[in-house]
């Protein structure tokens, strides 16, 4: 048997789950009780987060962390530490508020005015241009995500770079530019005379400033010395106190949503370069590098960072140069500096940026480039919070207006693959891909839905989970629920522990080996910097819905020689059968070079809906060899060239397949439909005897299969919410033998129902009766807790199945007083053995806390788009006995 499958069956897995454990300054008793609750939920690591703690890096913080570390040592757990006094990372525990100006954020900004010529003797008032009177229509002062006023600090070290008159053609700079800097400088940057030529002109004054932009109390992530303030104020104090625990009980540090921050945090604007009139992050090193890259007259080209020019290639080249340099500095001065600091001290560095809806290659709340921004980290990282991914959410349209996260296609088909792809191609990650998940979905997001979200991520290659969150604040804490324990108020806490044990088993199977992708899909960040480009979410969807797995790869794999090429492409031990590139106007020359080499060696490069016009980082017109294929023909073309793996005998777009290879081949197969069963055949390009492993029930089943040459054809029955594993290299002798069950269905009727709140359990009350089981929400619309359903049936004895049509959320079955099984999601089906004569059946259902919480007074906050639609509480549907 495969070693990892055997370990999973015996619940001897590694540790892959590290939930947030929020700190507010609780008592020792509460902290120790919560460490117990986390441990008893089948979790062996924890990420301690200030949320916010009243004394971060002060005496109370050290006292609380001492207690947590003591509990962790006693229980054999590991501890991660979130690296700032509150999210997002970069506040540096308040150290930036009074830091030297040179360490504070700096921006490239402009002021502009317009003139229509010709006329002679015009007076240019530079002071008025730079300091216009405030507009009565100006927006209010920037606010944070929770509505708080952002800190203000004034700086007096602005630097003027130049003053330029640019001829306009419509809304474009038409290429003619007059440098007025000498005239303005001679006039002391006050007033001077200028003869305005014929035409429409825009005067643009470029300057550097530390005023405005995003939060001034956050460090500048592209400046090495500024980032060092974060290290000195957070990392070094922890190392000074806990040096001997580093690499032992202390596993490492977590950065949460660090951002370039040139606009107010989480501003709902498009922060991609060239899409708005925003100030642009700057530092001295960036200026030096950009001056060398752009060459003579470099400053006169900077207006193209905001305005479209007459030459699309030149506009794209300037924007690409700025973003390329900026993201390299984020990589070197932020991500790598912290990652290297951790590595030298025996701990690891993890976390994630804001990836949402293609934000990763923008500025503002993200880091400009997904792969570079996280390059120093030892796990790849993403998050899925607040309703980004949920059952049936794939078609949620952008602009729906009911959520912070409106693009369902991106979240369902890109997000998870970005995270796992980074882990696959970056050797530093060692295949480890983390997702922070569950937070801010609201109390209506119970364990049933959590399993859907966990499966969604794991079948896309995510193998480290950060559940959000265990909050020890007094219930109900309004901060981004659900909270998994809630001081014992959460009825689903024990079922959450079942879910965590299940996730440990699945993650164990997809760790330590390599994924087996079909194709590589080029990350579109560099293309978007340089101009018009097609986002990749529709391509990703087409591929995954046809069971063609892929990895995202950035242009850097070609520029840095990470991709080896013959008839296939190899990156970090992974083999790719094709490279797919979305339509874009410009791409870096390294991609063109690779495409030319691929053409010579017969490796397929496929451009979807169009070929690039040229390179973004050279004036040369570089050919991009390869084949242009329309989106509608992409999967057929990949099939034609053999870039496929699993094939179904009938279309089923909701079936996800992830091929992983350790000692042998295994396939994760997940049905993401909310109502349709997949019943059909899957053909796999591997040979050998497969078995079916169900990681939820933790059982091996016999697979129905046949050999077809070098391929294996398996018959599958996969129900909604099911994730099954087809494992090769296991012996049929290990499969659990069970008695056959017939197909005679008998409805069970005559039920007694009673209720218990989480802390009342097992003392039930308020009994009522009905012929069919009823959800508690019909009896008490505000009830959350446990519902007991009891009845008696008569039988001749023997094996049977009990099937509940639907449950919200989790069910445990007792037969004649003996616990027979637990189900936390569909299908709610139990195998049982009946005794001759009378048999007592008892089903205990645990609900989520939404109904109870919504009935409570006080502030409510939810980012979930469907939180207002309450699901039933209890059994919804009929109960059947199958013999």
């Amino acid at each position: 048997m495969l070693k990892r499958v055997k370990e999973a069956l015996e619940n001897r897995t590694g540790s892959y789950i590290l939930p947030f454990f929020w700190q507010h300054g609780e008592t020792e008793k509460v902290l120790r009780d919560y460490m117990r609750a986390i441990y008893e939920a089948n979790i062996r690591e924890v990420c301690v987060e200030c949320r916010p703690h009243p004394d971060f890096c002060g005496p109370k913080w050290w006292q609380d962390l001492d207690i947590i570390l003591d509990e962790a040592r006693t229980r054999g757990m590991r501890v991660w530490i979130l690296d700032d006094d509150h999210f997002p990372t970069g506040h540096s525990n308040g150290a930036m508020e009074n830091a030297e100006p040179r360490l504070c954020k700096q921006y490239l900004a402009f002021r502009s005015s317009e003139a229509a010529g010709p006329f002679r003797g015009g007076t240019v008032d530079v002071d008025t241009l730079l300091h216009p009177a405030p507009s009565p229509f100006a927006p209010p002062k920037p606010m944070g995500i929770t509505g708080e006023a952002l800190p203000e600090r004034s700086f007096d070290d602005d630097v003027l770079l130049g003053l330029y008159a640019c001829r306009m053609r419509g809304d474009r700079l038409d290429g003619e530019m007059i440098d007025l800097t000498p005239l303005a400088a001679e006039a002391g940057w006050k007033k001077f005379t200028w003869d305005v030529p014929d035409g429409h002109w825009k005067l643009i004054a470029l300057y550097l400033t530390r005023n405005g932009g995003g939060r001034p109390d956050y460090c500048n992530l592209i400046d090495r010395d500024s980032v060092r303030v974060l290290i000195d104020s957070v990392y070094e104090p922890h190392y000074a106190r806990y040096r001997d625990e580093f690499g032992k009980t202390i596993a490492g540090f977590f950065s949460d949503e660090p951002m370039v921050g040139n606009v107010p945090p989480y501003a709902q604007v498009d922060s991609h370069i060239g899409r708005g009139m925003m100030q642009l992050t700057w530092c001295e090193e960036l200026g030096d590098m950009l001056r060398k890259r752009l060459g003579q007259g470099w400053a006169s080209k900077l207006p193209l960072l905001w305005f479209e020019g007459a030459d699309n290639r030149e506009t794209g080249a300037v924007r690409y140069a700025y973003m390329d340099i900026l993201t390299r500095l984020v990589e070197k001065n932020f991500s790598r500096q912290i990652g290297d600091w951790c590595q030298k001290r025996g701990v690891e560095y993890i976390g994630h940026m804001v990836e949402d809806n293609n934000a990763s290659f923008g500025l503002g709340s993200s880091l400009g480039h997904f792969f570079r921004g996280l390059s120093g980290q030892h796990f790849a990282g993403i998050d899925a919070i607040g309703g980004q991914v949920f059952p049936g959410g794939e078609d949620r349209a952008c602009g729906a207006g009911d959520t912070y996260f409106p693009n369902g296609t991106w979240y369902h088909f890109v997000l998870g693959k970005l995270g796992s792809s980074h882990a696959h191609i970056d050797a530093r990650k060692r295949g480890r891909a983390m997702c922070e998940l569950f937070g801010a979905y609201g109390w209506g997001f119970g364990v049933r839905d959590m399993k859907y979200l966990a499966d969604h991520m794991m079948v896309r290659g995510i193998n480290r989970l950060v559940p959000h969150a265990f909050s020890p604040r007094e219930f109900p804490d309004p901060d981004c629920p659900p909270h998994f324990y809630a001081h014992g108020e959460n009825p689903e806490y024990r079922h959450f522990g079942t879910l965590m044990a299940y996730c440990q088993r699945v993650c164990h199977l997809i760790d330590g080996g390599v994924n087996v992708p079909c194709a590589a899909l080029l990350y579109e960040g560099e293309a978007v910097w340089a101009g018009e480009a097609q986002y990749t979410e529709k391509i990703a969807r087409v591929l995954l819905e046809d069971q063609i797995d892929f990895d995202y790869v950035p242009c850097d794999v070609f520029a840095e020689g990470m991709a080896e090429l013959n008839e296939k492409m190899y990156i970090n031990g992974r083999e790719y059968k094709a490279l797919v590139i979305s339509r874009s106007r410009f791409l870096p020359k390294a991609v063109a070079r690779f495409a030319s080499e691929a053409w010579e060696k017969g490796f397929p490069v496929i451009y979807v809906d169009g070929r690039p016009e040229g390179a973004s980082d050279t004036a040369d017109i570089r050919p991009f060899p390869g084949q242009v294929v329309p989106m509608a023909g992409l999967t057929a073309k990949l099939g034609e060239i053999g870039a496929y793996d699993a094939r179904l005998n009938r279309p089923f777009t909701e079936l996800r397949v992830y091929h992983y290879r350790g000692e042998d081949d295994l396939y994760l197969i997940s049905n993401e439909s909310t109502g349709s069963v997949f019943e059909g055949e899957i053909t796999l390009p591997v040979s050998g005897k497969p078995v079916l492993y169900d990681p939820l029930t933790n059982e091996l089943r016999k697979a129905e299969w046949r050999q077809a040459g070098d391929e294996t054809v398996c018959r599958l029955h996969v129900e909604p919410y099911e994730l099954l594993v087809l494992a090769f290299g296991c012996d049929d002798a290990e499969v659990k033998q069970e008695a056959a069950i017939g197909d005679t269905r008998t409805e069970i009727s005559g039920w007694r129902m009673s209720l218990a709140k989480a802390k009342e359990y097992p003392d039930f009350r308020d009994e009522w009766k009905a012929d069919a089981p009823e959800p508690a929400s019909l009896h008490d619309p505000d009830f959350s807790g446990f519902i007991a359903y009891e009845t008696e049936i008569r039988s001749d004895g023997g094996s049977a199945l009990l099937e509940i049509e639907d449950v919200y959320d989790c069910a445990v079955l007792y037969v004649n007083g003996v616990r027979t099984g637990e189900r936390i999601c569909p299908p709610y089906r139990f195998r049982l053995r009946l005794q001759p004569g009378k048999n007592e059946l008892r089903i205990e259902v645990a609900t989520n806390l939404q109904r109870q919480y919504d009935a409570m007074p006080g502030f409510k906050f939810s980012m979930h788009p469907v939180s207002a639609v309450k699901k039933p509480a209890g059994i919804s549907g009929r109960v059947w006995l199958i013999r």
Side-chain angles (χ1 to χ4, degrees):
M1 179 184 292
L2 292 178
K3 179 176 179 287
R4 293 215 171 211
V5 174
K6 186 174 190 299
E7 289 169 343
L9 285 165
E10 296 170 353
N11 284 315
R12 294 188 298 107
T13 69
S15 175
Y16 307 95
I17 300 171
L18 45 141
F20 285 153
F21 179 21
W22 291 347
Q23 300 301 305
H24 316 90
E26 282 79 14
T27 65
E28 177 175 351
K29 180 180 179 182
V30 168
L31 294 178
R32 291 190 185 277
D33 183 55
Y34 261 74
M35 287 295 285
R36 171 201 59 78
I38 294 168
Y39 182 87
E40 291 180 0
N42 298 304
I43 296 168
R44 299 296 177 262
E45 301 182 40
V46 68
C47 184
V48 177
E49 177 182 359
C50 181
R51 192 70 175 192
H53 193 282
D55 190 28
F56 184 66
C57 290
K60 175 59 175 167
W61 173 260
W62 302 128
Q63 175 187 330
D64 292 351
L65 197 51
D66 287 348
I67 293 166
I68 292 168
L69 291 170
D70 181 61
E71 281 289 323
R73 281 189 297 268
T74 300
R75 298 179 182 278
M77 300 173 70
R78 297 202 309 161
V79 175
W80 301 79
I81 301 168
L82 202 132
D83 67 350
D84 216 333
D85 56 345
H86 58 75
F87 87 99
T89 290
H91 188 243
S92 307
N93 196 25
M96 293 303 303
E97 294 178 13
N98 297 301
E100 297 177 54
R102 68 177 184 85
L103 299 174
C104 296
K105 289 182 180 179
Q106 189 177 32
Y107 308 101
L108 171 66
F110 74 93
R111 296 282 189 183
S112 66
S113 187
E114 300 191 12
F119 62 87
R120 297 177 61 83
T123 299
V124 179
D125 187 340
V126 181
D127 190 61
T128 299
L129 176 62
L130 292 174
H131 306 99
S135 166
F137 306 107
K141 292 179 180 179
M143 307 293 282
I145 190 171
T146 58
E148 81 280 13
L150 298 181
E152 294 186 53
R153 183 179 175 187
S154 295
F155 298 88
D156 59 3
D157 61 344
D158 288 3
V159 176
L160 285 160
L161 292 182
L163 177 63
Y164 303 95
C166 307
R167 185 187 292 277
M168 303 294 293
R169 187 177 300 278
D171 60 353
R172 286 177 170 262
L173 310 182
D174 84 342
E176 183 180 350
M177 181 176 290
I178 301 172
D179 186 354
L180 299 178
T181 308
L183 289 175
E186 185 179 343
W189 296 97
K190 296 297 183 183
K191 296 179 182 180
F192 65 91
T193 301
W194 176 46
D195 296 335
V196 181
D198 186 25
H200 175 201
W201 296 85
K202 184 181 288 288
L203 271 68
I204 300 175
L206 297 168
Y207 63 101
L208 303 180
T209 183
R210 300 187 193 276
N211 297 301
R215 279 181 151 147
D217 57 335
Y218 273 63
C219 62
N220 186 354
L221 299 192
I222 65 172
D223 184 282
R224 188 172 188 84
D225 292 341
S226 186
V227 173
R228 184 68 212 192
V229 175
L230 171 64
I231 294 174
D232 289 341
S233 60
V234 176
Y235 286 76
E236 291 287 3
H238 284 86
Y239 184 62
R241 185 175 181 89
Y242 299 116
R243 176 193 302 257
D244 293 341
E245 296 287 358
F246 270 46
K248 299 173 185 174
T249 309
I250 294 179
F253 291 85
F254 187 113
S255 276
D256 195 14
E257 301 184 358
M259 55 182 64
V260 172
N262 59 308
V263 296
Y266 307 103
Q268 300 299 305
V269 297
D270 187 342
S271 59
H272 295 163
I273 188 73
R275 304 286 179 87
M277 299 295 110
M278 56 192 173
Q279 297 185 159
L280 299 176
T281 297
W282 195 266
C283 72
E284 184 178 354
E285 187 176 7
L286 184 148
D288 291 342
M289 295 173 71
L290 194 58
R291 185 180 296 108
K292 292 176 182 177
R293 180 81 68 92
L294 297 182
Q296 186 175 3
W298 71 282
S300 67
K301 300 174 184 177
L302 297 182
L304 294 173
L305 295 172
W306 295 280
F307 301 98
E308 298 296 325
D311 182 346
N312 289 327
R313 198 214 64 78
E314 183 184 24
T315 303
V318 172
R319 293 175 181 179
Y320 174 84
Y322 171 81
M323 290 298 299
D324 184 43
I325 292 169
L326 178 137
T327 54
R328 285 300 188 191
L329 292 177
V330 169
E331 178 180 40
K332 175 173 75 87
N333 292 337
F334 173 67
S335 191
R336 285 281 178 178
Q337 183 179 188
I338 295 178
D340 291 347
W341 184 96
C342 288
Q343 190 163 305
K344 289 175 183 176
R345 289 157 182 80
V347 294
E348 294 187 303
Y349 176 46
I350 64 174
H352 76 97
M353 68 174 69
V354 171
E355 318 90 4
D356 305 272
N357 194 15
N358 295 310
S360 72
F361 37 82
L363 300 168
S365 296
S366 199
L367 294 179
H369 193 285
F370 181 79
F371 296 89
R372 295 179 185 178
L374 302 180
S375 67
Q377 298 190 354
H378 296 91
F379 296 2
I382 58 172
D383 77 340
I385 54 94
Q388 294 170 339
V389 175
F390 64 93
E394 297 90 342
D395 293 313
R396 183 176 58 202
C398 206
D402 60 353
T403 172
Y404 291 102
F405 311 114
N407 187 353
T409 299
W410 188 90
Y411 288 103
H412 285 255
F413 296 97
V414 176
L415 178 59
K417 295 305 298 180
L418 266 182
S420 64
S421 298
H422 198 186
H424 297 156
I425 67 172
D426 183 355
R428 188 182 184 104
K429 308 293 186 279
R430 301 195 344 246
R432 297 173 295 176
M434 176 277 294
C435 179
E436 172 196 328
L437 70 177
F438 306 149
Y441 271 79
W443 281 116
F445 197 74
V447 167
R448 166 182 168 141
D449 291 327
M450 290 179 194
K451 181 181 182 292
Y452 169 89
L453 179 52
D455 286 351
H456 173 102
M457 291 300 168
M458 293 186 295
V459 80
R460 287 160 175 76
I462 299 296
N463 57 13
R464 299 294 188 280
L465 304 179
V466 178
H468 176 306
F470 280 90
S471 175
R473 183 178 282 166
E474 183 180 353
F475 176 79
D477 180 0
D479 186 357
C480 298
H483 305 135
F484 313 124
Y485 181 55
H487 289 279
E489 297 279 359
N490 191 337
E492 295 186 0
Y493 162 69
R494 70 201 72 185
H495 299 295
F496 177 78
T498 299
L499 174 64
M500 294 298 97
Y502 159 79
C503 291
Q504 298 277 29
R505 291 190 287 267
V506 177
C507 290
H508 191 64
L509 297 179
I510 56 173
D511 180 68
V514 296
N515 65 310
V516 185
C518 302
L521 176 57
L522 189 69
Y523 174 68
E524 67 268 43
E526 289 89 339
V528 173
W529 298 344
E532 182 185 351
Q534 176 190 57
Y535 293 152
T536 59
E537 56 252 39
K538 292 181 180 179
I539 298 174
R541 181 170 191 165
V542 164
L543 296 177
L544 291 182
E545 288 190 337
D546 211 16
Q547 293 76 47
I548 298 175
D549 197 18
F550 67 91
D551 279 336
Y552 274 102
V553 299
C555 298
D556 292 343
V557 303
F558 309 116
E560 297 170 10
M562 296 167 59
E564 301 175 23
L565 185 63
N566 48 47
E567 292 182 354
K568 306 282 177 60
M569 180 174 72
Y570 300 88
I571 302 174
N572 196 33
R574 277 75 176 173
E575 177 185 290
Y576 302 89
K577 300 170 185 174
L579 172 64
V580 179
I581 299 176
S582 60
R583 178 180 50 79
S584 54
R585 176 166 281 172
F586 302 109
L587 284 172
K589 59 188 176 185
V591 180
R593 283 200 300 262
F594 177 85
S596 296
E597 184 183 357
W599 179 263
E600 294 172 1
K601 295 186 177 180
F603 175 75
V605 176
I606 298 172
Y607 304 96
V608 178
D609 292 338
R611 194 189 311 272
E613 297 176 13
S616 52
D617 51 353
T618 178
D620 297 338
I621 301 299
R622 290 184 175 265
F624 284 81
Q627 186 169 359
V628 177
V629 174
M631 179 86 73
L634 176 59
T635 58
K637 170 55 65 175
L638 291 171
E640 178 186 316
I641 62 178
Y644 58 80
D645 193 328
R647 307 191 310 282
L648 306 183
N649 68 333
R650 67 180 185 89
F652 197 89
T653 57
E654 296 92 349
L655 200 72
R656 305 286 169 259
V657 180
Y658 181 63
H659 185 183
Y660 199 78
R661 183 172 293 150
E663 307 154 78
D664 213 319
D665 292 275
L666 60 83
Y667 288 82
L668 268 60
I669 300 171
S670 178
N671 184 352
E672 294 184 348
S673 168
T674 56
S676 300
V677 176
F678 174 74
E679 185 80 48
E681 290 185 341
I682 184 169
T683 300
L684 306 171
V686 295
S687 57
K689 285 185 176 182
V691 297
L692 272 175
Y693 172 56
D694 185 339
L696 186 57
T697 62
N698 203 20
E699 296 173 338
L700 287 180
R701 304 179 196 165
K702 188 172 182 179
E704 185 181 341
W705 64 280
R706 69 179 187 275
Q707 206 69 42
D710 294 332
E711 298 182 317
T712 302
V713 182
C714 298
R715 183 84 187 169
L716 291 179
H717 176 98
V718 190
E719 303 204 27
Y721 289 83
E722 270 197 313
L723 183 150
L724 300 174
V725 180
L726 267 174
F728 290 78
C730 294
D731 194 332
D732 276 354
E734 304 286 347
V735 173
K736 183 178 180 180
Q737 302 298 319
E738 294 179 326
I741 303 293
D743 56 5
T744 301
R745 300 170 65 88
T746 305
E747 184 177 355
I748 302 174
S749 58
W751 293 90
R752 303 184 306 279
M753 285 146 285
S754 54
L755 307 176
K757 292 288 186 70
K759 286 193 168 181
E760 297 170 345
Y761 183 87
D763 297 326
F764 285 79
R765 54 175 170 78
D766 298 341
E767 182 175 304
W768 79 100
K769 297 180 181 180
D771 188 53
E774 295 178 347
S777 45
L778 294 181
H779 181 74
D780 179 355
D782 298 330
F783 177 79
S784 295
F786 294 93
I787 309 108
Y789 296 84
E790 298 176 282
T791 192
E792 296 174 356
I793 61 173
R794 301 196 67 82
S795 170
D796 297 331
S799 297
L801 292 177
L802 184 138
E803 181 179 277
I804 312 171
E805 287 184 343
D806 213 350
V807 176
Y808 294 92
D809 286 331
C810 307
V812 176
L813 174 66
Y814 296 86
V815 179
N816 299 317
V818 177
R819 191 178 193 273
T820 301
E822 174 190 13
R823 297 293 181 270
I824 62 173
C825 68
Y828 293 97
R829 193 176 297 122
F830 303 82
R831 180 175 285 270
L832 64 158
R833 187 162 186 83
L834 299 172
Q835 64 188 18
K838 184 178 74 172
N839 290 266
E840 296 178 350
L841 301 182
R842 178 183 176 90
I843 303 169
E844 291 184 356
V845 173
T847 77
N848 62 55
L849 272 168
Q850 182 181 21
R851 290 175 177 273
Q852 176 183 335
Y853 179 72
D854 285 354
M856 300 174 76
F859 171 74
K860 302 293 192 302
F861 174 75
S862 176
M863 297 167 75
H864 195 296
V866 294
S867 61
V869 181
K870 294 184 177 68
K871 298 166 186 171
I875 292 178
S876 176
R878 294 174 289 182
V879 180
W880 301 90
L881 188 69
I882 306 172
R883 301 292 303 272

